[in-house]
Amino acid sequence: MEDKDLRIRSKVISEGVNRVPNRSMLRAVGFEDEDFKKPMVGIASTWSEVTPCNVHIDGLAREAKTGAASNGGAPLIFNTITVSDGIAMGHEGMNYSLPSREVIADSIETVTGAERLDGLVAIGGCDKTTPACMMAIGRLNLPSVYVYGGTIQPGKLNGKDIDIVSSFEAVGQYQEGQINDEELYQVECHACPGAGACGGMYTANTMAAAVEALGMSIPGSSSTPAINKYKETECQQAGEMVVELLKQDIYPRDIMTKKAFENAITVVMALGGSTNAFLHLTAIAHSAGVDLSYEDFEVIREKVPHIADLKPSGKYVMQDLYEIGGVPAVMKELLAGGLLHGDCLTVTGRTLAENLAEAPALKEGQVIIRPLAEPLKPTGPLVVLRGNLAPEGAVAKMSGQKISRFEGPARVYDSEEAATIAIGNNEIKEGDVLVLRNVGPKGGPGMPEMLSITAMIVGKGLGGKVALMTDGRFSGGSHGFVIGHVAPEAAAGGPIGILQEGDTVVIDSETQEINMQVSTEELAERARNWTAPEPRYKTGILAKYAKLVSSSAQGAVTDKNL
């Protein structure tokens, strides 16, 4: 029996007299006669020296190339960008963070489409690279495997674990006089010891775990630390696996079904992941042609307990989870509890249940993952709120919160800089609702994260004593009584744009309501007098992004309403 031709798209280049010029170009980068008979596999690398999250990915890409070549593929590495959220945070640079997700997805789609590649291994690290790679994979629908570059080790200072969030919170502590210049400097120097993405259950680790639950990455790979040698083996396996997927005619949309997204949401809720999961999973689903809404998150939240004692609201980091069995051990518990769809197909060619049958159970005596019957919280901690302030919805992270209701006067700011100055000057008092608006997808533009703001609030001892509400978003490292993704956003005419200083705001996570106590008549009058703010950028990527981007409730994608 003749071997199956795996050149599902590259055959247009590999054969024919008219393609001599095309092949000449490939010979210049190392192709020989035999390579033109093989499937061309793209290795999409997000390697960059601008962030520790991705600084090691060049080596991982070469391992993936080796794996693909060993299994009969003709692999080619190409690069895309990354933006370091930790470095972009707290200033104008953060406006570029979420738009970078679209740039990465667009660039992977562009290279893979132009070069007529047959399959794809995508390797990510920092926050936006994982969802961006998955969006490209969903759009392209070519046999693909995603590999996460891995988590950073915790930093060590005075015998204690610290991380990047410790640095942000140390700023508030310094401003309060709780630590001195030298102590602040020592936090700065020890928080990030080397390669890998931020260590807690922040956005990078949240999305890596979600993609593993989705079935699109190698079992266990979301929790393998960046500096662990086995990460190289995973990349080799991913290269081999793409060729197998080509042989078996298994495509991403065969794997990324509605039930698979439900599995991803389940794992995010159980782990107490980042609110950014709403934004990114909705965007990935859109790219894969799957209808996913806030209601789907809510249905799952109500039945999935929060069982992981992980930072930012808990004690432990991803490396600690890895050492007790990692994400597969957690999924094994969830499957046994009837909370996962075990029949979903994965990139191994087997079902999720078949993969988990081989996974180790949680290590005996561990304290990081609670039993399902004794959770930290009986339902998921990521809550959708609606009301006259957020008709399309807002998202709150309630893990670690002792209170579920907050009522107070609105302190309204139209820029992060103004809010930062107010907090620094001790103008925000216990009981206030700090409102930061016109920082949504259009208004920011780019929906910047508010880690600097939340860290200052915590550092000043106001964590849980002040509520923060925004049409922007939060880092996975943020904690406290914080509500983000308020939609519609102010710049699109949302009610948060007509909220006024001193209005009473009521936020209730039990009733899932977020309202301002202003009469319907008064709100209608304010709406009549509202005018859209001038766009902050008139040219370039941020201007294009603001013009095209959808609501945060729709994943803040740029191809929704074309």
Side-chain angles (χ1 to χ4, degrees):
M1 181 178 170
E2 190 175 330
D3 287 342
K4 178 181 177 184
D5 191 343
L6 304 181
R7 298 173 298 171
I8 57 175
R9 295 207 306 179
S10 66
K11 198 169 183 178
V12 69
I13 292 170
S14 302
E15 294 189 355
V17 172
N18 290 345
R19 295 294 170 250
V20 165
N22 310 65
R23 295 194 292 276
S24 293
M25 299 289 284
L26 287 167
R27 287 182 189 279
V29 300
F31 268 49
E32 297 178 354
D33 288 352
E34 284 301 307
D35 294 310
F36 292 110
K37 300 172 186 175
K38 302 171 183 177
M40 288 171 59
V41 175
I43 313 294
S45 169
T46 58
W47 170 76
S48 173
E49 290 183 337
V50 302
T51 174
C53 313
N54 297 56
V55 73
H56 60 307
I57 286 176
D58 56 338
L60 298 182
R62 288 192 290 272
E63 297 295 340
K65 181 176 181 177
T66 297
S70 72
N71 202 26
L76 295 161
I77 297 174
F78 65 92
N79 270 80
T80 181
I81 65 161
T82 187
V83 165
S84 170
D85 282 9
I87 297 171
M89 198 76 67
H91 52 82
E92 189 179 12
M94 197 66 211
N95 294 102
Y96 291 88
S97 171
L98 189 58
S100 79
R101 186 189 72 179
E102 310 305 300
V103 175
I104 297 163
D106 290 352
S107 66
I108 294 173
E109 179 189 1
T110 299
V111 174
T112 306
E115 301 285 325
R116 309 318 293 157
L117 303 176
D118 301 303
L120 187 66
V121 176
I123 310 172
C126 196
D127 294 15
K128 304 307 160 303
T129 52
T130 295
C133 289
M134 292 307 305
M135 287 163 66
I137 286 169
R139 292 178 197 169
L140 290 161
N141 199 32
L142 295 170
S144 303
V145 179
Y146 176 73
V147 184
Y148 176 45
T151 184
I152 196 171
Q153 287 186 301
K156 296 283 184 182
L157 183 61
N158 302 324
K160 294 183 178 178
D161 287 353
I162 64 169
D163 62 12
I164 188 62
V165 176
S166 309
S167 288
F168 281 100
E169 292 180 357
V171 174
Q173 293 163 356
Y174 176 78
Q175 290 173 339
E176 285 296 286
Q178 296 171 16
I179 60 176
N180 61 30
D181 288 336
E182 178 59 24
E183 289 169 317
L184 182 64
Y185 177 69
Q186 290 302 318
V187 173
E188 176 183 325
C189 292
H190 290 86
C192 298
C198 297
M201 193 43 61
Y202 312 143
T203 303
N205 284 326
T206 296
M207 292 311 302
V211 171
E212 183 172 331
L214 197 58
M216 286 301 300
S217 61
I218 291 168
S221 59
S222 66
S223 35
T224 307
I227 63 167
N228 190 303
K229 284 292 287 183
Y230 193 70
K231 183 58 69 178
E232 296 178 1
T233 302
E234 290 172 350
C235 289
Q236 290 174 10
Q237 291 171 343
E240 296 167 6
M241 199 172 282
V242 169
V243 181
E244 291 302 315
L245 292 170
L246 279 161
K247 291 175 182 175
Q248 296 177 48
D249 288 321
I250 296 176
Y251 291 78
R253 294 191 182 193
D254 300 327
I255 296 170
M256 291 197 285
T257 62
K258 183 67 174 279
K259 290 203 302 183
F261 278 98
E262 290 172 355
N263 284 343
I265 296 168
T266 296
V267 168
V268 169
M269 291 292 179
L271 293 176
S274 165
T275 52
N276 280 315
F278 284 75
L279 201 65
H280 297 323
L281 285 173
T282 306
I284 297 166
H286 168 68
S287 296
V290 173
D291 182 26
L292 194 70
S293 68
Y294 279 0
E295 283 67 31
D296 296 305
F297 285 83
E298 271 299 298
V299 167
I300 292 166
R301 183 191 69 80
E302 290 173 1
K303 62 183 181 182
V304 176
H306 177 206
I307 57 174
D309 189 8
L310 295 168
K311 288 188 175 187
S313 53
K315 299 177 188 173
Y316 301 98
V317 294
M318 193 62 145
Q319 180 160 309
D320 298 320
L321 179 60
Y322 169 76
E323 290 168 357
I324 63 159
V327 170
V330 177
M331 288 202 289
K332 199 176 180 91
E333 293 289 312
L334 293 170
L335 181 66
L339 296 172
L340 289 175
H341 302 293
D343 58 345
C344 287
L345 183 64
T346 73
V347 289
T348 65
R350 298 179 297 175
T351 65
L352 187 73
E354 288 170 332
N355 291 341
L356 293 177
E358 298 177 1
L362 287 165
K363 187 181 283 188
E364 197 71 34
Q366 63 81 31
V367 294
I368 300 169
I369 303 298
R370 299 281 188 91
L372 289 173
E374 302 170 30
L376 291 162
K377 192 174 183 296
T379 56
L382 304 178
V383 183
V384 175
L385 309 175
R386 283 193 170 88
N388 67 6
L389 266 167
E392 289 182 14
V395 182
K397 185 172 183 178
M398 300 308 298
S399 55
Q401 292 306 306
K402 295 181 174 64
I403 57 172
S404 60
R405 188 180 187 276
F406 201 105
E407 179 176 338
R411 305 298 311 281
V412 182
Y413 299 90
D414 287 308
S415 74
E416 185 177 1
E417 181 183 16
T420 299
I421 292 169
I423 297 166
N425 291 340
N426 296 317
E427 294 171 19
I428 304 302
K429 307 295 185 185
E430 183 174 340
D432 285 345
V433 178
L434 175 59
V435 179
L436 188 47
R437 67 186 180 193
N438 286 308
V439 290
K442 290 182 181 297
M447 205 179 178
E449 291 180 345
M450 302 298 150
L451 179 55
S452 292
I453 295 281
T454 58
M456 283 182 71
I457 289 170
V458 171
K460 283 189 168 285
L462 291 171
K465 300 174 184 177
V466 166
L468 173 56
M469 179 178 73
T470 180
D471 53 8
R473 60 197 177 92
F474 296 108
S475 161
S478 292
H479 57 113
F481 205 102
V482 296
I483 298 91
H485 303 219
V486 172
E489 63 175 294
I496 189 174
I498 56 174
L499 183 68
Q500 293 181 0
E501 182 82 10
D503 286 345
T504 298
V505 173
V506 181
I507 305 159
D508 194 321
S509 68
E510 294 295 331
T511 62
Q512 296 180 244
E513 292 179 293
I514 181 166
N515 291 300
M516 50 180 157
Q517 293 186 338
V518 179
S519 70
T520 305
E521 294 77 19
E522 171 67 14
L523 290 178
E525 177 65 22
R526 291 183 191 180
R528 281 192 293 272
N529 294 325
W530 178 83
T531 55
E534 272 288 304
R536 291 183 60 201
Y537 299 87
K538 304 295 176 65
T539 60
I541 179 175
L542 294 181
K544 287 190 289 185
Y545 183 83
K547 193 173 184 66
L548 291 171
V549 71
S550 71
S551 162
S552 57
Q554 299 174 324
V557 295
T558 53
D559 63 346
K560 182 79 175 180
N561 303 311
L562 298 179

